[in-house]
Amino acid sequence: MKDIFNKFSAFAEKHKTFLAFFLLAVAVLAVYGRSVKYDFVYCDDDGLVISNYGFMSDFKNIPEFFRKSVFNSAADNYYRPAMTLSFWADAVVFGKNPFGYRLTNILLHIAAVFLVYVLLARLKFGAKFAFLFALLFAVHPAFAQTVAWIPGRNDSLLAVFAVASMLFLLDYFQDGKKKRDSLFLSGLMFLAAIFTKENAAVMIFTLPAFVYVFCENAKKRDYIKITGMLILIAAVYGLMRMTALRGAEGTSTIVYMLRNVFGSMKMVFVYLEYALLPYRMYVIPVSVPPEPLTAAACAMAAVPLAGSLIFKTGRKKVVLFGLFWFLMFLLPSFVIANYWFSHRLYVPFIGIVVMFMEFFSAAAHKHPEAKKYFLLLLAGITAVFAVASYMQTQKFKDRIAFYGSAAAEQPLTETVRLRLVSYYINAGMLA
């Protein structure tokens, strides 16, 4: 038995990256695998896939993806051609079968989890902490909406491109050798990210901040080059978006959007609750007022801040970067603040991970005897989160389960109740 254990330990040490990927994939499949058998829930997926199938599945229409809104309608102002391309690929292979679209959602989540793990490992927080925080990201209950709800893929797709862009920047600065190919690929990933979701525009600020914190050999000219590249790409995107959405209903002015963002700042605290104490995971969260749980989550978020700023536990610039990342990717969601969807936390949560990774790594370095307790704590939280996510996934089984959950969670929402009744009638379940 001892020989078997030693051989396994030697194999694990030699192939630790492969083993980490394998375990992360197994965790995602264990939590979300059953969702491939689920149906459409008829909340945006009907407009994005079913109603739009004829246009979206035609190869000749691919150029039109970049000239029209994501719903192919004048009634919306969402310009997300990369997301439409992902639906096109599913439509070509799977037709209207929801299995394929749901499988793609799971695969995108696995890809994002892998990239988050690679990023954390390359930032040298420690292999065990990197794996556990990536595992926590893989099974977080707030992300059931991203994985089990077909339209939620815009956030996992955004995460794939955003994290890949950071990894290519690390390659660019590695060993003091400026690799032009890596810089080009980083810019290409930013372009793909902003074509996926408008929130990616904040990468104009977060990527230079990332370089400042984690790339010590960066020079002033590097910041100018990187920022200039990002602004140029964003300008091209902006022109394409304006052309595609010209005349779209509901197009907002800058003043209107800024007013919405600043008027919705209280939502930051609820999203901290989603991140740290994910209990109120509603499928259609029309109203999520702050409560004692929200205050407790805010107190938890203050721990790494206080640890780095007051008690010198952790590098303050790393912790502040994590907070900056969280806020920058979250604030654009407040432009339209009518719903408090948890899938919008997917990319901002990476900032929370960085904050707590730095705190736990520094605390373990100062108190080596406590490291195993930190790891056990993270493992315990991850196990609880995995069970919660598995249960949460059931809400996305079909439109009856989806709207039934919505009506039970927010019973005073008349719109949800009316839609639920109409679906019951259409399904022949009401006379």
Side-chain angles (χ1 to χ4, degrees):
M1 182 65 71
K2 186 176 181 181
D3 289 340
I4 295 175
F5 177 78
N6 290 336
K7 288 181 180 179
F8 177 78
S9 298
F11 175 85
E13 181 63 28
K14 185 177 180 180
H15 304 281
K16 57 184 177 182
T17 301
F18 168 79
L19 188 61
F21 283 166
F22 175 76
L23 293 175
L24 290 170
V26 167
V28 172
L29 292 173
V31 172
Y32 297 111
R34 63 176 179 167
S35 69
V36 297
K37 299 184 293 184
Y38 292 171
D39 198 358
F40 295 107
V41 300
Y42 287 76
C43 179
D44 285 351
D45 53 3
D46 53 337
L48 289 168
V49 177
I50 300 173
S51 302
N52 210 21
Y53 177 78
F55 166 77
M56 184 181 61
S57 60
D58 190 343
F59 177 81
K60 296 178 181 177
N61 287 330
I62 288 180
E64 293 299 312
F65 298 168
F66 294 86
R67 293 196 284 262
K68 295 193 175 189
S69 72
V70 72
F71 285 94
N72 187 25
S73 167
D76 77 279
N77 59 353
Y78 293 107
Y79 180 64
R80 298 170 179 178
M83 184 181 180
T84 307
L85 277 171
S86 75
F87 286 135
W88 165 78
D90 286 341
V92 169
V93 178
F94 300 103
K96 290 184 180 180
N97 189 340
F99 168 86
Y101 300 86
R102 291 187 171 279
L103 176 62
T104 298
N105 271 33
I106 292 174
L107 294 177
L108 284 173
H109 182 51
I110 290 175
V113 170
F114 283 179
L115 287 170
V116 167
Y117 169 71
V118 172
L119 177 67
L120 296 178
R122 290 191 60 178
L123 296 181
K124 300 178 181 179
F125 285 115
K128 292 180 180 178
F129 282 120
F131 173 75
L132 281 175
F133 273 99
L135 186 61
L136 188 68
F137 183 85
V139 302
H140 198 290
F143 306 150
Q145 197 172 68
T146 306
V147 186
W149 181 48
I150 292 171
R153 73 169 58 175
N154 61 344
D155 289 282
S156 52
L157 197 57
L158 171 59
V160 167
F161 294 134
V163 177
S165 184
M166 289 192 287
L167 288 172
F168 282 123
L169 277 181
L170 288 178
D171 287 340
Y172 177 67
F173 288 103
Q174 189 174 23
D175 301 325
K177 300 176 182 178
K178 307 297 173 60
K179 305 172 184 177
R180 293 182 180 179
D181 290 349
S182 296
L183 184 60
F184 171 79
L185 289 171
S186 179
L188 186 63
M189 291 299 101
F190 170 60
L191 178 63
I194 204 169
F195 273 148
T196 300
K197 193 172 183 180
E198 302 83 359
N199 298 37
V202 303
M203 291 172 67
I204 294 173
F205 307 102
T206 58
L207 287 183
F210 174 78
V211 170
Y212 171 75
V213 174
F214 295 106
C215 303
E216 296 179 355
N217 58 341
K219 308 297 182 185
K220 184 177 180 179
R221 62 177 178 274
D222 294 317
Y223 292 104
I224 295 173
K225 185 185 300 183
I226 291 169
T227 305
M229 176 188 70
L230 297 174
I231 292 174
L232 178 61
I233 292 171
V236 172
Y237 160 81
L239 288 173
M240 294 179 68
R241 186 178 190 276
M242 284 172 46
T243 303
L245 301 182
R246 184 174 295 153
E249 296 178 16
T251 302
S252 304
T253 65
I254 296 294
V255 173
Y256 172 81
M257 291 189 290
L258 289 175
R259 187 182 299 127
N260 267 2
V261 169
F262 288 109
S264 305
M265 288 298 293
K266 65 179 181 180
M267 294 173 68
V268 170
F269 304 115
V270 173
Y271 276 103
L272 279 174
E273 178 192 327
Y274 284 174
L276 300 174
L277 296 171
Y279 176 73
R280 294 188 290 173
M281 295 289 99
Y282 305 148
V283 293
I284 303 182
V286 177
S287 176
V288 188
E291 62 172 31
L293 203 64
T294 313
C298 293
M300 291 174 64
V303 171
L305 286 170
S308 62
L309 299 177
I310 300 175
F311 301 105
K312 311 300 181 184
T313 304
R315 296 164 292 177
K316 63 181 179 181
K317 68 177 183 179
V318 174
V319 174
L320 289 174
F321 168 77
L323 179 63
F324 179 68
W325 177 280
F326 170 73
L327 292 174
M328 289 301 293
F329 271 100
L330 189 62
L331 292 181
S333 300
F334 302 161
V335 172
I336 301 175
N338 52 337
Y339 295 112
W340 307 41
F341 285 116
S342 59
H343 71 85
R344 293 172 177 170
L345 180 67
Y346 194 91
V347 178
F349 185 72
I350 296 172
I352 299 293
V353 167
V354 170
M355 289 174 63
F356 279 90
M357 277 279 291
E358 177 63 19
F359 173 75
F360 275 105
S361 298
H365 181 73
K366 290 180 71 173
H367 307 283
E369 71 283 357
K371 182 177 180 178
K372 63 180 180 180
Y373 298 108
F374 293 148
L375 295 173
L376 285 172
L377 174 63
L378 288 171
I381 293 171
T382 300
V384 172
F385 278 11
V387 173
S389 292
Y390 183 83
M391 296 172 64
Q392 184 78 2
T393 305
Q394 180 68 21
K395 298 177 182 179
F396 299 87
K397 183 176 182 179
D398 52 36
R399 57 188 178 183
I400 300 299
F402 182 82
Y403 284 101
S405 298
E409 293 164 350
Q410 305 243 285
L412 299 180
T413 307
E414 185 175 356
T415 302
V416 171
R417 292 186 303 179
L418 290 174
R419 293 189 70 173
L420 178 63
V421 170
S422 71
Y423 288 138
Y424 272 124
I425 292 173
N426 292 337
M429 300 176 68
L430 288 177

